[in-house]
Every structure is written in structure tokens, then in C-alpha cells.
């Protein structure tokens, strides 16, 4: 397939998994689901088991060196990746707690490309040699252990899809949200103006756009300073 033909398909998430029925799952609903229906993005699954070569369709084996659990075989995974990447120009991502933490800058990069090939691990994970040989981009959702890569794939794809042109309504929703400015977002309020004795900050009812902007910016700074000193340091160093 030519690069033009790949681009014409739209942003494509191709997911390698032992549980293809988990997709699109929640991504078939709401914003991502509507975008899927409109053809703004494509969700393709490949069953890793289809690349096994024995009659039991085995994809894993015991670890060399002993220890608990099973390891996904490099030959099976490599065959699945070869098929997945044949007509897909996006990066091949392996979701793993050992990977680079998923952050909004990576999400933005991925959303502006042709899509992603996402490999969902199970058991103890992948044989290291296929990670090296295929130069997989290792990405982690956070410092915790899921039972499989599928929930992480859903999160990563959701974060990308909502940035695709035509998926979200108002562009400023994206511009102001957490991480785009280097800050966490300011707090939100809606009706009723008083709820259980709690009032909405007066400035938000003032109709004074500049004062509201300043208040929100100050709140975003304060929230970031208190909750995320790492982001706050980076923000200050940038001199924003
Ligand atoms: N033995 C691995 C370890 O200690 O790092 C955990 C394996 S976990 C039970 C099975 C699979 O879930 C992993 O191969 C990976 O694909 C996925 N997974 C688990 N936690 C994850 C996380 N925080 N981010 C991304 N993927 C994760």
C-alpha cells in the first residue's frame, strides 16, 4: 500500500491482542464512537493467536531462568507485528509498566501521525528480543500493574482520538485543558449557583471576561503548584 493510500484510510489504531472482543469497547460510545461512525478514525484488531504455529495456538511459554508466570513468544509476536506493520505507517507501541510514561506531548505527536500499532501484553509480558528487534516504543500508563495491555490501549487511543480534527466541538476546550499550557486546569462550576450552602466564586458570575481569565489562570497555577511540583517547576523554568 502506498503512503497516500495509508493516509486516505484516516487515523488508524491497529491493536494486537489476545482479546479482540475488548475493542472498540468503550471507544464505540460517546465522542470516540461518533468519530468512529463518521470514519474519522479506524479501529482494527488482530488476534495474536492467529500467528501461532502449533495446533494449540500457543502464544506463550515458560521463562528461561525459571520463575512464575509465562512469557509471550518472540516468534509469534514478531509474525503478528510484521503483518500489522505491512500497510501501517504509525509507530509500533508496546504497552508496559517499564515504558516511558504516557503524557500529553506524546499523545499529541501520535494524534498528528497516521495512527498507531498497539501491542497489548499479557502474562509476564514479552520476550525482550522482539522488543529490541522491532524497536518497539515502550509506553506505560502509570506506576501500577494492569492484568493486560488492553485497558492501557483503550486509554491511549481515547486520548489520541479526541485530538483528531472534527472530534471535539469547540477548539478552545482543547487549548485550555490540563497539560496544554503546562498547568493543570482551573476548577469548573455550573448551576445551581448555590448548592448545599456552597457558592460559586463571585468573579465567575461577574461577566467580566478579563477578570475571569485572570482568576482561572491564578487557580490553574495554584492547583499545579500544590498538587504537581514537578509540573510547576517545569512551567516556571519555561518562564511561561
Ligand atoms: N510482569 C510485568 C511487570 O512486572 O512489569 C507485568 C505484566 S502485566 C501482568 C501484563 C501486561 O499488562 C503487560 O505486558 C502490559 O502489556 C500490560 N500492562 C500492565 N501494566 C501496565 C501499565 N502500567 N502500562 C501499560 N501497560 C501495562
Amino acid at each position: 500500500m502506498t503512503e497516500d493510500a495509508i493516509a486516505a484510510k484516516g487515523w488508524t489504531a491497529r491493536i494486537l491482542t489476545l482479546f479482540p472482543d475488548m475493542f472498540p469497547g468503550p471507544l464505540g460510545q460517546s465522542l470516540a464512537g461518533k468519530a468512529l461512525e463518521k470514519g474519522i478514525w479506524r479501529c482494527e484488531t488482530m488476534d495474536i493467536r492467529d500467528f501461532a504455529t502449533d495446533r494449540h495456538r500457543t502464544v506463550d511459554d515458560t521463562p528461561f531462568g525459571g520463575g512464575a508466570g509465562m512469557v509471550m513468544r518472540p516468534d509469534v509476536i514478531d509474525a503478528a507485528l510484521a503483518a500489522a506493520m505491512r500497510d501501517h505507517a504509525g509507530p509500533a507501541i508496546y504497552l508496559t509498566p517499564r515504558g516511558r510514561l504516557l503524557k500529553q506531548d506524546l499523545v499529541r505527536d501520535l494524534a498528528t501521525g497516521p495512527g498507531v500499532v498497539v501491542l497489548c501484553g499479557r502474562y509476564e509480558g514479552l520476550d525482550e528480543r522482539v522488543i529490541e528487534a522491532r524497536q518497539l516504543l515502550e509506553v506505560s500508563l502509570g506506576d501500577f500493574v494492569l492484568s493486560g495491555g488492553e485497558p492501557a490501549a483503550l486509554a491511549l487511543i481515547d486520548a489520541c482520538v479526541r485530538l483528531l480534527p472534527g472530534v471535539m466541538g469547540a477548539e478552545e476546550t482543547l487549548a485550555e485543558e490540563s497539560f496544554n499550557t503546562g498547568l493543570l486546569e482551573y476548577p469548573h462550576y455550573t448551576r445551581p449557583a448555590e448548592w448545599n450552602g456552597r457558592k460559586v466564586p463571585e468573579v465567575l458570575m461577574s461577566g467580566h471576561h478579563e477578570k475571569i481569565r485572570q482568576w482561572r489562570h491564578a487557580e490553574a497555577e495554584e492547583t499545579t503548584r500544590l498538587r504537581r511540583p514537578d509540573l510547576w517547576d517545569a512551567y516556571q523554568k519555561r518562564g511561561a
Side-chain angles (χ1 to χ4, degrees), residues 149-179:
E150 289 79 6
L154 289 167
L156 178 143
I157 295 165
D158 178 84
C160 292
V161 165
R162 62 194 294 283
L163 299 188
L164 300 177
V167 174
M168 298 270 286
E171 290 301 322
E172 68 262 29
T173 315
L174 288 176
E176 288 196 2
E177 68 186 11
S178 296
F179 310 114

Side-chain angles (χ1 to χ4, degrees), residues 23-96:
F23 299 91
L27 298 177
Q29 308 279 317
S30 188
L31 276 183
K34 286 196 189 110
L36 192 57
E37 265 173 34
K38 283 193 211 158
I40 295 176
W41 71 288
R42 291 164 64 101
C43 183
E44 301 175 348
T45 50
M46 294 174 81
D47 188 341
I48 295 171
R49 229 170 261 292
D50 290 343
F51 298 89
T53 51
D54 65 333
R55 68 191 171 90
H56 300 295
R57 308 202 334 135
T58 311
V59 298
D60 58 327
D61 211 325
T62 52
F64 281 120
M70 301 294 273
V71 178
M72 296 177 93
R73 291 176 57 111
D75 50 350
V76 177
I77 297 298
D78 187 60
L81 281 167
M85 291 160 77
R86 203 163 291 140
D87 61 348
H88 196 299
I93 294 173
Y94 170 45
L95 292 160
T96 164

Side-chain angles (χ1 to χ4, degrees), residues 203-235:
V203 63
L204 298 180
M205 327 273 268
S206 69
H208 194 303
H209 296 303
E210 181 52 21
K211 278 196 183 144
I212 291 171
R213 192 196 63 74
Q214 285 171 6
W215 181 86
R216 286 180 166 162
H217 186 69
E219 285 289 321
E221 286 196 334
E222 186 62 357
T223 306
T224 308
R225 188 180 70 76
L226 291 174
R227 296 188 188 187
R228 291 291 300 273
D230 55 328
L231 291 180
W232 181 241
D233 276 356
Y235 174 74

